């Protein structure tokens, strides 16, 4: 058996050998074949490497970094420069997962050209796709980006950049009208060229409908087990966030022998459909 790579003089394990990064085409094929996609956030090379070795398919450089890295109560203070810095760190630390970068509040809402400039910086930093929050109103921007070669992931449901307008972090799409409006939003994003959509904090039935009625992979967070894949903030999955965890969170450190095993357990539970369980659903 081959020896593991020598640690560097500082005792840090050598980075993984380069392998081909997952592409959007590969992820779409996996989803079409019924394989659940495992996404986690990461903001640095070390955790990106742990995600890579555990088999995470997509690493999201989320603007949740404003909360879990910078300590703010919302994602709103995150600047584009912060997202770019953390994207570079993540890209350096992993070789297989697709790297998806959130465009922060204020970097894309003003129009397609601003959005393109922000997205171009993310792609130059090594991201393969950018994520924008919003429904039908953002579709022209999504079309502008995708026409110019920028892969886009939409984000509907609870959109944390709109926390002040939403009146808090609340479950979305609970009424029949709100559910129909969200489906119309997701379809508008898909028509505009979005190749993936994150849906956050919606009733399980709406997560299932979005997944069935859209043709692109739907990645859920608090959206039930029927989505094409799942995403969690890594600090939540490791149970290291202070305070009461949201209903949709599972602490994968429970029963795991360390961080790598916990991330492995997350991937296994997403892939075999056991996460999210009924107690994680709305
Ligand atoms: O910023 C983030 O981490 C996100 C996830 C909650 C989907 O957008």
């Amino acid at each position: 058996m081959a020896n593991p790579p020598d640690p560097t003089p500082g005792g840090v394990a050598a980075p993984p050998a380069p392998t081909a990064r997952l592409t959007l085409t590969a992820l779409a094929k996996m989803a079409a074949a019924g394989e659940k996609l495992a996404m986690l956030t990461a903001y640095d090379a070390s955790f990106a490497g742990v995600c890579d070795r555990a088999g995470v398919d997509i690493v999201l450089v989320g603007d949740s970094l404003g909360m879990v890295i910078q300590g703010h109560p919302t994602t709103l203070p995150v600047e584009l420069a912060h997202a770019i810095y953390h994207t570079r760190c993540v890209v350096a630390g992993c070789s297989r997962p697709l790297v998806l970068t959130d465009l922060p509040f204020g970097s894309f809402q003003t129009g397609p050209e601003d959005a393109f400039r922000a997205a171009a910086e993310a792609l130059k930093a090594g991201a393969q796709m950018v994520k924008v929050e919003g429904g039908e109103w953002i579709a022209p921007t999504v079309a502008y980006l995708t026409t110019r070669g920028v892969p886009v992931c939409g984000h509907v449901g609870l959109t944390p950049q709109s926390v002040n307008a939403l009146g808090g972090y609340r479950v979305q799409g609970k009424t029949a009208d709100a559910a129909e409006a969200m489906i119309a939003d997701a379809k508008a994003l898909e028509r505009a060229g979005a190749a993936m959509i994150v849906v956050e904090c919606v009733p399980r039935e709406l997560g299932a409908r979005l997944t069935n009625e859209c043709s692109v992979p739907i990645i859920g967070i608090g959206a039930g087990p029927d989505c094409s894949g799942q995403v969690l903030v890594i600090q939540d999955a490791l149970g290291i966030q202070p305070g009461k965890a949201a209903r949709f969170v599972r602490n994968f450190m429970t029963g795991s022998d360390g961080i790598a095993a916990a991330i492995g357990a997350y991937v296994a539970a997403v892939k075999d459909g056991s996460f999210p369980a009924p107690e994680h659903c709305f």
Side-chain angles (χ1 to χ4, degrees), residues 39 41 43 60-65 75 102 131 133 155 160 198 200 221 231-233:
M39 185 193 288
T41 67
Y43 318 94
L60 169 63
V61 185
D63 62 355
S64 48
L65 75 89
T75 61
D102 246 340
K131 178 161 79 59
E133 294 184 9
H155 185 154
V198 166
E200 179 164 353
I221 172 165
V231 56
L232 280 181
V233 170

Side-chain angles (χ1 to χ4, degrees), residues 40 48-57 96 259-268:
L40 266 184
V50 176
C51 288
D52 190 347
R53 292 187 289 279
V56 169
D57 301 309
R96 175 182 172 272
I259 289 173
I263 303 301
Y266 168 75
V267 173

